[in-house]
Amino acid sequence: MRIDLHTHSRVSDGTDAPGDLVRAAKAQGLDVVALTDHDTAAGWPEAAEVAAETGIELVRGMEISTEHQGHSVHLLAYLPDPAHPPLAAELERVLAGRSDRLPQMVARLNDLGIALTVEDVVAVSGDAAASGRPHVADALVRLGVVADRTEAFDRYLAWGRPAYLSRYAAPLADAVRAVTEAGGVSVIAHPWGRSGRERPDADDLAMLSRAGLSGLEVDHQDHAPRTRARLRALARELGLVVTGASDYHGTGKVGHPLGVNTTDPEEYARLLDRAARAAEAARTVRGLVPPGVVRA
Ligand code: AMP
Ligand code: ZN
Ligand code: FE
Ligand code: FE
């Protein structure tokens, strides 16, 4: 059984339509795929329809942009009811924060002599729920200013670079609680990935586990073998589920092909078990309708 629990479609900053992503996952021989676009469930209906046709199990998810003690943390949320008001409000704030800073980001680039317009960025964003830095990067590629997304971040868009602007991120512990209340489960994406720091640290993870966190994405391309070993041990100690995934973005991110990392079927079963319990509580206590997996 091959299980990939972290992918992005065109609805955020990937390059495949949600349905095409599901077909690609099936063609790669995956048995289970999760669609986890940034801060939105907008790709779910199309992905679910194609999963049912194609015969692959689909986990409806999202990757929420959160912050903890000033550090950006990505939180994977699986199977929550996205209409639960506290969750919906956080997602809306993040998406609005991402889109609202776009004119100022473009103005910064204009100041550097780059003739980019907001319309250029919106044109490459297509059906994305919001225009973020990856879309600005794509627009810079299209304009011939940089060769690829990486160069755009390195020169202009990364923290500390001239066109960097911060935006709203949901407080991490609040996001964990909102996901649980919405009948879903949460897993910290690439916990010690991009930052190169071991943050959130072991104490933070213990606190989050008490707040309802279900797992850690241990097997991710941004983690070296040593980091994976340490996170795996920590997850075991805290009783957290261990996941592995590609963080596939189509052609938007190199080195992240579908299925490059996968989740152990037993760990997946534990995650679904926790989700079933959260969903039952959300249905009975709050009258919510968590989506459940689409079975192959
Ligand atoms: P935003 O939410 O608009 O600030 O964009 C954040 C997204 O940009 C992240 O989720 C990543 O997918 C991408 N990203 C952040 N830093 C980099 C980087 N250094 N190189 C490439 N992509 C990046
Ligand atoms: Zn992304
Ligand atoms: Fe991420
Ligand atoms: Fe991601």
Coordinates of all heavy atoms in Angstrom, one line a residue, residues 166-254:
S166 N 5.7 40.4 5.2 CA 5.1 39.4 6.1 C 3.5 39.4 5.8 O 3.0 40.4 5.3 CB 5.4 39.6 7.5 OG 4.8 40.8 8.0
R167 N 2.9 38.4 6.3 CA 1.4 38.4 6.2 C 0.9 37.7 7.4 O 1.6 37.1 8.2 CB 0.9 37.7 4.9 CG 1.5 36.3 4.8 CD 0.6 35.3 4.1 NE 1.3 34.0 3.9 CZ 1.6 33.2 4.9 NH1 1.2 33.4 6.1 NH2 2.3 32.1 4.6
Y168 N -0.4 37.7 7.6 CA -1.1 37.0 8.7 C -0.8 35.5 8.7 O -0.9 34.9 7.6 CB -2.6 37.3 8.7 CG -3.3 36.5 9.8 CD1 -3.2 37.0 11.1 CD2 -3.9 35.3 9.6 CE1 -3.8 36.3 12.2 CE2 -4.5 34.6 10.7 CZ -4.5 35.1 11.9 OH -5.0 34.5 13.0
A169 N -0.6 34.9 9.8 CA -0.5 33.4 10.0 C -1.3 33.1 11.2 O -1.3 33.8 12.2 CB 0.9 33.0 10.1
A170 N -2.0 32.0 11.2 CA -2.8 31.6 12.3 C -1.9 31.1 13.5 O -1.0 30.4 13.3 CB -3.7 30.4 11.9
P171 N -2.2 31.5 14.7 CA -1.5 30.9 15.9 C -1.6 29.4 15.9 O -2.7 28.9 15.8 CB -2.2 31.6 17.1 CG -2.9 32.8 16.6 CD -3.3 32.4 15.1
L172 N -0.4 28.7 16.0 CA -0.4 27.3 15.8 C -1.3 26.5 16.7 O -2.1 25.7 16.2 CB 1.1 26.8 16.0 CG 1.3 25.3 15.9 CD1 0.8 24.7 14.6 CD2 2.8 25.0 16.0
A173 N -1.3 26.8 18.0 CA -2.1 26.0 18.9 C -3.6 26.2 18.6 O -4.4 25.3 18.7 CB -1.7 26.3 20.4
D174 N -4.0 27.4 18.3 CA -5.4 27.7 18.0 C -5.8 26.9 16.7 O -6.9 26.4 16.7 CB -5.5 29.2 17.6 CG -5.4 30.1 18.8 OD1 -5.2 29.6 20.0 OD2 -5.4 31.4 18.7
A175 N -4.9 26.9 15.7 CA -5.2 26.1 14.5 C -5.4 24.6 14.8 O -6.3 24.0 14.3 CB -4.1 26.3 13.5
V176 N -4.5 24.1 15.7 CA -4.6 22.7 16.0 C -6.0 22.4 16.7 O -6.7 21.5 16.3 CB -3.5 22.3 17.0 CG1 -3.8 20.9 17.7 CG2 -2.2 22.2 16.3
R177 N -6.4 23.3 17.6 CA -7.7 23.2 18.3 C -8.9 23.3 17.3 O -9.8 22.6 17.3 CB -7.8 24.1 19.4 CG -7.1 23.7 20.7 CD -7.4 24.6 21.9 NE -6.6 25.8 21.8 CZ -5.4 26.0 22.3 NH1 -4.8 25.0 23.0 NH2 -4.7 27.1 22.2
A178 N -8.8 24.3 16.4 CA -9.8 24.5 15.4 C -10.0 23.3 14.5 O -11.2 22.9 14.2 CB -9.6 25.8 14.6
V179 N -8.9 22.7 14.1 CA -9.0 21.5 13.2 C -9.7 20.3 14.0 O -10.6 19.6 13.4 CB -7.6 21.1 12.7 CG1 -7.6 19.7 12.1 CG2 -7.0 22.1 11.8
T180 N -9.3 20.1 15.2 CA -9.9 19.0 16.0 C -11.4 19.3 16.2 O -12.2 18.4 16.0 CB -9.3 19.0 17.4 OG1 -7.9 18.9 17.3 CG2 -9.7 17.7 18.2
E181 N -11.8 20.5 16.6 CA -13.2 20.9 16.7 C -14.0 20.7 15.4 O -15.1 20.3 15.5 CB -13.3 22.4 17.1 CG -13.0 22.7 18.5 CD -13.1 24.2 18.8 OE1 -13.7 24.9 17.9 OE2 -12.6 24.6 19.9
A182 N -13.3 20.9 14.3 CA -13.9 20.7 13.0 C -14.0 19.3 12.6 O -14.4 18.9 11.5 CB -13.2 21.5 11.9
G183 N -13.5 18.3 13.5 CA -13.7 16.9 13.2 C -12.5 16.3 12.4 O -12.6 15.3 11.8
G184 N -11.4 17.1 12.3 CA -10.2 16.6 11.6 C -9.1 16.3 12.5 O -9.2 16.4 13.7
V185 N -7.9 15.9 11.9 CA -6.7 15.7 12.6 C -5.6 16.6 12.0 O -5.7 16.9 10.8 CB -6.3 14.2 12.5 CG1 -7.1 13.4 13.4 CG2 -6.3 13.7 11.1
S186 N -4.6 16.9 12.8 CA -3.6 17.8 12.3 C -2.2 17.1 12.5 O -2.0 16.4 13.5 CB -3.6 19.1 13.0 OG -3.6 19.0 14.4
V187 N -1.3 17.4 11.6 CA 0.0 16.9 11.5 C 1.0 18.0 11.1 O 0.7 18.8 10.2 CB 0.1 15.8 10.4 CG1 1.6 15.3 10.2 CG2 -0.8 14.6 10.8
I188 N 2.0 18.2 11.8 CA 3.0 19.3 11.5 C 3.8 18.9 10.2 O 4.4 17.8 10.2 CB 3.9 19.7 12.6 CG1 3.1 20.2 13.8 CG2 4.9 20.8 12.2 CD1 3.9 20.8 14.9
A189 N 3.7 19.7 9.2 CA 4.4 19.5 7.9 C 5.9 19.8 8.1 O 6.2 20.8 8.8 CB 3.8 20.3 6.8
H190 N 6.7 19.0 7.5 CA 8.2 19.2 7.6 C 8.6 20.1 8.8 O 9.1 21.2 8.6 CB 8.7 19.9 6.3 CG 7.8 21.1 5.8 ND1 7.8 22.3 6.4 CD2 6.8 21.2 4.8 CE1 6.9 23.1 5.8 NE2 6.3 22.4 4.8
P191 N 8.4 19.5 10.0 CA 8.6 20.3 11.2 C 10.0 21.0 11.3 O 10.0 22.1 11.8 CB 8.5 19.3 12.4 CG 7.8 18.1 11.8 CD 8.1 18.1 10.3
W192 N 11.0 20.3 10.9 CA 12.4 20.9 11.0 C 13.0 21.0 9.7 O 14.2 20.8 9.5 CB 13.3 20.0 12.0 CG 12.8 20.0 13.4 CD1 11.9 20.8 14.0 CD2 13.2 19.1 14.4 NE1 11.7 20.5 15.3 CE2 12.5 19.4 15.6 CE3 14.2 18.0 14.4 CZ2 12.7 18.8 16.8 CZ3 14.3 17.4 15.6 CH2 13.6 17.7 16.8
G193 N 12.1 21.4 8.7 CA 12.6 21.5 7.3 C 13.3 22.8 7.0 O 14.4 23.0 7.4
R194 N 12.5 23.6 6.3 CA 13.1 24.8 5.7 C 14.0 25.7 6.6 O 15.0 26.2 6.2 CB 12.0 25.7 5.1 CG 12.4 26.6 4.0 CD 11.3 27.4 3.5 NE 10.3 26.6 2.8 CZ 10.4 26.2 1.6 NH1 11.5 26.5 0.9 NH2 9.5 25.4 1.0
S195 N 13.5 25.9 7.9 CA 14.2 26.8 8.7 C 15.6 26.4 9.1 O 16.4 27.2 9.5 CB 13.4 27.0 10.0 OG 13.5 25.9 10.9
G196 N 15.8 25.0 9.0 CA 17.1 24.5 9.4 C 17.3 24.5 10.9 O 18.3 24.1 11.4
R197 N 16.2 24.9 11.6 CA 16.3 24.9 13.1 C 15.4 23.8 13.7 O 14.4 23.5 13.0 CB 15.9 26.3 13.6 CG 17.0 27.2 13.9 CD 16.5 28.5 14.3 NE 15.7 29.2 13.2 CZ 15.7 30.5 13.0 NH1 16.3 31.3 13.9 NH2 15.0 31.0 12.1
E198 N 15.7 23.4 14.9 CA 14.8 22.4 15.5 C 13.7 23.1 16.3 O 13.6 23.0 17.5 CB 15.6 21.5 16.4 CG 16.6 20.7 15.5 CD 17.3 19.5 16.3 OE1 17.1 19.4 17.5 OE2 18.0 18.7 15.6
R199 N 12.9 23.8 15.5 CA 11.7 24.6 16.1 C 10.5 24.2 15.3 O 10.6 24.3 14.0 CB 12.0 26.1 16.0 CG 13.0 26.6 16.9 CD 12.4 26.7 18.3 NE 13.4 26.8 19.3 CZ 14.1 27.9 19.6 NH1 13.8 29.0 19.0 NH2 15.0 27.9 20.5
P200 N 9.4 23.9 15.8 CA 9.1 23.8 17.3 C 10.0 22.7 17.9 O 10.1 21.6 17.3 CB 7.6 23.4 17.3 CG 7.1 23.5 15.9 CD 8.2 23.7 15.0
D201 N 10.4 23.0 19.1 CA 11.3 22.0 19.8 C 10.5 20.9 20.5 O 9.3 20.9 20.5 CB 12.3 22.7 20.7 CG 11.6 23.4 21.9 OD1 10.4 23.0 22.2 OD2 12.3 24.2 22.6
A202 N 11.2 20.0 21.2 CA 10.5 18.9 21.8 C 9.5 19.3 22.8 O 8.4 18.7 22.9 CB 11.6 18.0 22.5
D203 N 9.8 20.4 23.6 CA 8.8 20.9 24.6 C 7.5 21.4 23.9 O 6.4 21.2 24.3 CB 9.4 22.0 25.5 CG 10.4 21.4 26.4 OD1 10.4 20.2 26.7 OD2 11.3 22.2 26.9
D204 N 7.8 22.2 22.8 CA 6.6 22.7 22.1 C 5.8 21.6 21.5 O 4.5 21.7 21.6 CB 7.1 23.6 20.8 CG 7.9 24.8 21.2 OD1 7.7 25.4 22.3 OD2 8.9 25.2 20.5
L205 N 6.4 20.6 21.0 CA 5.7 19.5 20.4 C 4.9 18.7 21.5 O 3.8 18.3 21.2 CB 6.6 18.5 19.6 CG 7.3 19.2 18.4 CD1 8.3 18.2 17.8 CD2 6.2 19.5 17.3
A206 N 5.4 18.6 22.7 CA 4.7 17.9 23.8 C 3.5 18.8 24.1 O 2.4 18.2 24.3 CB 5.6 17.8 25.0
M207 N 3.6 20.1 24.2 CA 2.5 21.0 24.4 C 1.4 20.8 23.4 O 0.2 20.7 23.6 CB 3.0 22.4 24.5 CG 2.0 23.5 24.7 SD 1.1 24.1 23.2 CE 2.4 25.0 22.4
L208 N 1.9 20.8 22.1 CA 0.9 20.7 21.0 C 0.2 19.4 21.0 O -1.0 19.3 20.7 CB 1.7 20.9 19.7 CG 2.1 22.4 19.5 CD1 3.2 22.5 18.4 CD2 1.0 23.3 19.1
S209 N 0.9 18.4 21.4 CA 0.3 17.0 21.5 C -0.8 17.0 22.5 O -1.9 16.5 22.2 CB 1.4 16.0 21.8 OG 0.9 14.8 22.2
R210 N -0.6 17.7 23.6 CA -1.6 17.9 24.6 C -2.8 18.7 24.1 O -3.9 18.5 24.5 CB -1.1 18.5 25.9 CG -0.2 17.5 26.7 CD 0.1 18.1 28.1 NE 0.9 19.3 28.1 CZ 2.3 19.4 28.0 NH1 3.0 18.2 27.9 NH2 2.9 20.5 28.0
A211 N -2.5 19.6 23.2 CA -3.6 20.5 22.6 C -4.3 19.8 21.5 O -5.3 20.3 20.9 CB -2.9 21.8 22.0
G212 N -3.9 18.5 21.1 CA -4.7 17.7 20.2 C -3.9 17.4 18.9 O -4.5 16.8 18.0
L213 N -2.7 17.8 18.8 CA -1.9 17.5 17.6 C -1.8 16.0 17.4 O -1.7 15.2 18.4 CB -0.5 18.0 17.7 CG 0.4 17.8 16.5 CD1 0.0 18.6 15.3 CD2 1.9 18.0 16.8
S214 N -2.0 15.5 16.2 CA -2.0 14.0 15.9 C -0.7 13.4 15.4 O -0.4 12.3 15.6 CB -3.1 13.6 15.0 OG -4.3 13.7 15.6
G215 N 0.1 14.2 14.7 CA 1.3 13.6 14.1 C 2.3 14.6 13.6 O 2.2 15.8 13.6
L216 N 3.4 14.0 13.2 CA 4.6 14.7 12.6 C 4.9 14.1 11.2 O 5.0 12.9 11.1 CB 5.8 14.6 13.5 CG 5.7 15.1 14.9 CD1 7.1 14.9 15.6 CD2 5.4 16.6 15.0
E217 N 5.1 15.0 10.3 CA 5.5 14.6 8.9 C 7.1 14.4 9.0 O 7.8 15.4 8.8 CB 5.1 15.6 7.9 CG 5.4 15.2 6.5 CD 5.1 16.3 5.5 OE1 5.6 17.4 5.6 OE2 4.3 16.1 4.6
V218 N 7.5 13.2 9.2 CA 8.9 12.9 9.4 C 9.6 12.8 8.1 O 10.7 13.3 7.9 CB 9.0 11.7 10.3 CG1 10.5 11.2 10.4 CG2 8.5 11.9 11.7
D219 N 9.1 11.9 7.2 CA 9.7 11.7 5.9 C 9.3 12.7 4.9 O 8.3 12.6 4.2 CB 9.4 10.2 5.5 CG 10.1 9.2 6.4 OD1 11.3 9.3 6.6 OD2 9.4 8.4 7.0
H220 N 10.2 13.7 4.7 CA 9.9 14.8 3.8 C 11.3 15.2 3.2 O 12.3 15.1 3.9 CB 9.3 16.0 4.6 CG 9.0 17.2 3.7 ND1 9.9 18.1 3.3 CD2 7.8 17.6 3.2 CE1 9.3 19.0 2.5 NE2 8.0 18.7 2.4
Q221 N 11.3 15.6 2.0 CA 12.6 15.9 1.3 C 13.4 17.0 2.0 O 14.6 17.0 1.8 CB 12.3 16.4 -0.1 CG 11.6 15.3 -1.0 CD 12.5 14.1 -1.2 OE1 12.5 13.3 -0.3 NE2 13.2 14.0 -2.3
D222 N 12.8 17.8 2.8 CA 13.6 18.9 3.5 C 14.3 18.4 4.7 O 15.0 19.1 5.4 CB 12.6 20.1 3.9 CG 12.2 20.9 2.7 OD1 12.6 20.6 1.5 OD2 11.4 21.8 2.9
H223 N 14.1 17.1 5.1 CA 14.7 16.5 6.3 C 15.8 15.6 5.9 O 15.6 14.6 5.2 CB 13.7 15.7 7.1 CG 12.6 16.6 7.8 ND1 11.4 16.1 8.1 CD2 12.6 17.8 8.2 CE1 10.7 17.0 8.6 NE2 11.4 18.1 8.7
A224 N 17.0 15.8 6.4 CA 18.1 14.9 6.2 C 17.9 13.6 7.1 O 17.0 13.7 8.0 CB 19.4 15.6 6.7
P225 N 18.6 12.5 6.7 CA 18.3 11.3 7.5 C 18.4 11.4 9.0 O 17.6 10.9 9.7 CB 19.4 10.4 6.9 CG 19.7 10.9 5.6 CD 19.5 12.4 5.6
R226 N 19.4 12.2 9.5 CA 19.6 12.4 10.9 C 18.3 13.1 11.5 O 17.9 12.7 12.6 CB 20.8 13.3 11.1 CG 21.5 13.0 12.5 CD 22.7 13.9 12.6 NE 22.6 14.7 13.8 CZ 22.3 16.0 13.8 NH1 22.2 16.6 12.7 NH2 22.2 16.6 15.0
T227 N 17.8 14.1 10.8 CA 16.6 14.8 11.3 C 15.4 13.9 11.4 O 14.7 13.9 12.3 CB 16.3 16.0 10.4 OG1 17.5 16.8 10.3 CG2 15.1 16.8 10.8
R228 N 15.3 13.0 10.3 CA 14.2 12.1 10.3 C 14.3 11.1 11.5 O 13.3 10.9 12.2 CB 14.2 11.3 9.0 CG 14.0 12.1 7.8 CD 14.0 11.2 6.5 NE 13.9 12.1 5.3 CZ 13.5 11.7 4.1 NH1 13.0 10.5 4.0 NH2 13.5 12.5 3.1
A229 N 15.5 10.7 11.8 CA 15.7 9.7 12.9 C 15.3 10.4 14.2 O 14.6 9.8 15.1 CB 17.1 9.2 13.0
R230 N 15.7 11.6 14.4 CA 15.4 12.3 15.7 C 13.9 12.6 15.8 O 13.3 12.5 16.9 CB 16.2 13.7 15.7 CG 17.7 13.4 15.9 CD 18.4 14.8 15.8 NE 17.8 15.7 16.8 CZ 18.5 16.2 17.8 NH1 19.8 16.0 17.9 NH2 17.9 17.0 18.7
L231 N 13.3 13.0 14.7 CA 11.8 13.3 14.7 C 11.0 12.0 14.9 O 10.0 12.0 15.6 CB 11.4 14.0 13.4 CG 11.7 15.5 13.3 CD1 11.4 16.0 11.9 CD2 10.8 16.3 14.3
R232 N 11.5 10.9 14.3 CA 10.8 9.6 14.5 C 10.8 9.2 16.0 O 9.8 8.8 16.5 CB 11.5 8.6 13.6 CG 10.6 7.4 13.2 CD 11.4 6.4 12.3 NE 12.0 7.0 11.1 CZ 11.3 7.3 10.0 NH1 10.0 7.0 9.9 NH2 11.9 7.9 9.0
A233 N 12.0 9.4 16.6 CA 12.1 9.0 18.0 C 11.2 9.9 18.9 O 10.5 9.4 19.8 CB 13.6 9.1 18.5
L234 N 11.2 11.2 18.6 CA 10.4 12.1 19.3 C 8.9 11.8 19.2 O 8.1 11.8 20.1 CB 10.7 13.5 18.8 CG 10.2 14.7 19.6 CD1 10.7 14.6 21.1 CD2 10.8 16.0 19.0
A235 N 8.5 11.5 17.9 CA 7.1 11.1 17.7 C 6.7 9.9 18.5 O 5.6 9.8 19.1 CB 6.8 10.8 16.2
R236 N 7.6 8.9 18.5 CA 7.3 7.7 19.3 C 7.1 8.0 20.8 O 6.2 7.6 21.4 CB 8.4 6.7 19.1 CG 8.0 5.3 19.3 CD 9.0 4.3 18.6 NE 8.9 4.3 17.2 CZ 9.9 4.2 16.3 NH1 11.2 4.1 16.8 NH2 9.8 4.3 15.0
E237 N 8.0 8.9 21.3 CA 8.0 9.3 22.7 C 6.7 10.0 23.0 O 6.1 9.7 24.1 CB 9.1 10.2 22.9 CG 9.7 10.4 24.3 CD 10.9 11.4 24.2 OE1 11.9 11.0 23.5 OE2 10.7 12.5 24.8
L238 N 6.2 10.8 22.1 CA 5.0 11.6 22.4 C 3.7 10.9 21.9 O 2.6 11.4 22.1 CB 5.1 12.9 21.7 CG 6.2 13.9 22.2 CD1 6.4 15.1 21.3 CD2 6.0 14.3 23.6
G239 N 3.8 9.7 21.4 CA 2.6 9.0 20.9 C 2.0 9.6 19.6 O 0.8 9.4 19.3
L240 N 2.8 10.3 18.9 CA 2.3 11.0 17.7 C 2.5 10.1 16.5 O 3.4 9.3 16.4 CB 3.1 12.3 17.4 CG 2.9 13.4 18.4 CD1 3.9 14.5 18.3 CD2 1.4 13.9 18.3
V241 N 1.6 10.2 15.5 CA 1.6 9.4 14.3 C 2.8 9.9 13.4 O 3.0 11.1 13.3 CB 0.3 9.6 13.5 CG1 0.4 8.9 12.1 CG2 -0.9 9.0 14.3
V242 N 3.5 9.0 12.7 CA 4.6 9.4 11.8 C 4.1 9.3 10.4 O 3.6 8.3 10.0 CB 5.8 8.4 12.0 CG1 6.8 8.6 10.9 CG2 6.4 8.6 13.4
T243 N 4.2 10.4 9.7 CA 3.8 10.4 8.2 C 5.0 10.7 7.3 O 6.0 11.2 7.8 CB 2.7 11.4 7.9 OG1 3.2 12.7 8.0 CG2 1.5 11.2 8.9
G244 N 4.8 10.4 6.1 CA 5.8 10.6 5.0 C 5.0 11.0 3.8 O 4.0 10.5 3.5
A245 N 5.6 12.0 3.0 CA 4.9 12.5 1.9 C 5.8 13.3 0.9 O 6.9 13.6 1.3 CB 3.7 13.4 2.3
S246 N 5.3 13.5 -0.3 CA 6.1 14.2 -1.3 C 6.1 15.7 -1.2 O 7.1 16.3 -1.6 CB 5.6 13.7 -2.7 OG 4.3 14.2 -2.9
D247 N 5.0 16.3 -0.8 CA 4.9 17.8 -1.0 C 5.0 18.1 -2.4 O 5.6 19.1 -2.8 CB 5.9 18.5 -0.1 CG 5.5 19.9 0.2 OD1 4.4 20.4 -0.2 OD2 6.3 20.6 1.0
Y248 N 4.3 17.3 -3.3 CA 4.3 17.5 -4.7 C 3.6 18.8 -5.1 O 2.6 19.2 -4.5 CB 3.5 16.3 -5.3 CG 3.2 16.4 -6.8 CD1 4.2 16.1 -7.7 CD2 1.9 16.7 -7.2 CE1 3.9 16.2 -9.1 CE2 1.6 16.7 -8.6 CZ 2.6 16.4 -9.5 OH 2.3 16.5 -10.8
H249 N 4.2 19.5 -6.0 CA 3.7 20.8 -6.5 C 3.7 20.8 -8.1 O 3.8 21.9 -8.7 CB 4.5 22.0 -6.1 CG 4.3 22.5 -4.7 ND1 4.7 21.8 -3.6 CD2 3.8 23.7 -4.2 CE1 4.4 22.4 -2.5 NE2 3.9 23.6 -2.8
G250 N 3.6 19.6 -8.7 CA 3.6 19.6 -10.2 C 5.0 20.0 -10.6 O 6.0 19.6 -10.0
T251 N 5.1 20.9 -11.6 CA 6.4 21.4 -12.0 C 6.8 22.6 -11.2 O 7.9 23.3 -11.4 CB 6.4 21.8 -13.5 OG1 5.4 22.8 -13.7 CG2 6.1 20.7 -14.4
G252 N 6.1 23.0 -10.1 CA 6.3 24.1 -9.3 C 7.4 23.9 -8.2 O 7.8 24.9 -7.6
K253 N 7.9 22.7 -8.1 CA 8.9 22.4 -7.0 C 9.7 21.2 -7.5 O 9.1 20.2 -7.6 CB 8.1 22.2 -5.7 CG 8.9 22.2 -4.4 CD 8.0 22.3 -3.2 CE 8.8 22.4 -1.9 NZ 7.9 22.7 -0.8
V254 N 10.9 21.4 -7.7 CA 11.7 20.2 -8.2 C 12.1 19.3 -7.0 O 12.3 19.8 -5.9 CB 13.0 20.7 -9.0 CG1 12.6 21.4 -10.3 CG2 13.9 21.6 -8.2

